[in-house]
Amino acid sequence: MKFFIDTANLDQIREAKDLGILDGVTTNPSLMAKEGIRGTEAINSHYKTICEIVDGDISAEVLSTTYEEMIKEGEELAAIHPNIVVKIPMIKDGIKALKYFSDKGIKTNCTLIFSAGQALLAAKAGATYVSPFLGRLDDVSTDGINLIEEIRLIFDNYLFDTQILAASIRHSMHIIDCAKVGADVITSPLAPILSLLKHPLTENGLAQFIEDSKKMA
């Protein structure tokens, strides 16, 4: 399973890369705004910087919602760097845009997936990734992991190449559960990834080893 980090914060991206397990980055307008990055020129420059840090797929989201505007904006984003993946919303014109970019050989990530039907349409249109949002489903008392299982079954049934990129990760167990049911990728803030490092028995055992090592001096 690939690990992507879901942020526009360069320090967090570098920290995740330094772990040696980072495969890519996802961003969105909210994450860009959180870092105070506004305006097309500044946003595109920030994407370029991320691509220089991480050698992997970098999802860059279009801000438009009409077919023609998404095509124009997506082509501009794809021209920034070969690793850019154009992130497209799950709407009717978005499906049309996915097909256009697929035919052009441009990678895409269909975002805001909340049902197996949406994922199926995106895969049919040639999306490179589909991004089901686990945490937001959990917020409305719906089982997000069950959606991953449904999409996995459908994609396996018909041998779709589209990868399942589990998004809206809230905690470390989301990551583990995604691994169990066969998500191809998870994209997560840094904190849940770092939480995978932690276990009280590991901490206790290490403390005991350190204490015992003092007796060997």
Side-chain angles (χ1 to χ4, degrees):
M1 186 173 72
K2 297 177 186 176
F3 275 52
F4 289 5
I5 186 171
D6 192 37
T7 186
N9 184 283
L10 297 181
D11 289 337
Q12 292 182 7
I13 291 170
R14 291 188 181 100
E15 184 175 352
K17 181 190 176 185
D18 287 345
L19 281 174
I21 51 84
L22 187 63
D23 299 295
V25 178
T26 59
T27 62
N28 59 48
S30 298
L31 293 173
M32 284 288 186
K34 186 177 179 180
E35 299 303 315
I37 302 161
R38 295 177 176 84
T40 301
E41 186 176 343
I43 290 172
N44 290 353
S45 177
H46 200 74
Y47 282 135
K48 186 176 180 181
T49 300
I50 293 173
C51 290
E52 290 169 351
I53 296 171
V54 180
D55 184 17
D57 285 347
I58 313 297
S59 285
E61 187 163 347
V62 300
L63 305 179
S64 308
T65 56
T66 65
Y67 173 74
E68 292 78 10
E69 291 173 335
M70 281 189 278
I71 296 307
K72 181 177 183 296
E73 190 178 349
E75 288 182 332
E76 290 172 355
L77 289 171
I80 294 172
H81 193 279
N83 290 354
I84 289 289
V85 176
V86 180
K87 200 171 181 183
I88 302 290
M90 168 41 69
I91 54 178
K92 185 177 180 180
D93 276 9
I95 293 297
K96 293 165 63 178
L98 289 172
K99 176 60 175 173
Y100 173 89
F101 288 124
S102 176
D103 289 345
K104 293 287 185 179
I106 294 174
K107 291 183 179 181
T108 54
N109 175 3
C110 188
T111 189
L112 295 171
I113 297 284
F114 293 100
S115 75
Q118 290 176 327
L120 177 57
L121 285 174
K124 284 284 290 180
T128 310
Y129 299 98
V130 292
S131 290
F133 279 40
L134 305 188
R136 294 193 193 185
L137 284 168
D138 289 352
D139 289 344
V140 294
S141 301
T142 303
D143 189 347
I145 294 298
N146 183 65
L147 174 59
I148 300 293
E149 290 182 296
E150 290 180 348
I151 298 172
R152 179 78 279 155
L153 176 62
I154 292 169
F155 284 11
D156 288 350
N157 279 349
Y158 299 101
L159 303 178
F160 284 119
D161 292 328
T162 301
Q163 297 181 56
I164 302 170
L165 195 166
S168 189
I169 298 291
R170 299 288 174 79
H171 46 73
S172 59
M173 283 311 300
H174 267 160
I175 299 175
I176 298 302
D177 288 340
C178 285
K180 288 180 179 178
V181 300
D184 299 290
V185 190
I186 62 94
T187 186
S188 169
L190 183 59
I193 295 173
L194 293 180
S195 291
L196 294 172
L197 292 166
K198 300 176 182 178
H199 194 285
L201 293 180
T202 300
E203 295 169 3
N204 292 342
L206 181 59
Q208 185 64 54
F209 291 158
I210 291 172
E211 188 64 30
D212 289 344
S213 70
K214 296 175 182 177
K215 303 173 184 176
M216 300 170 62

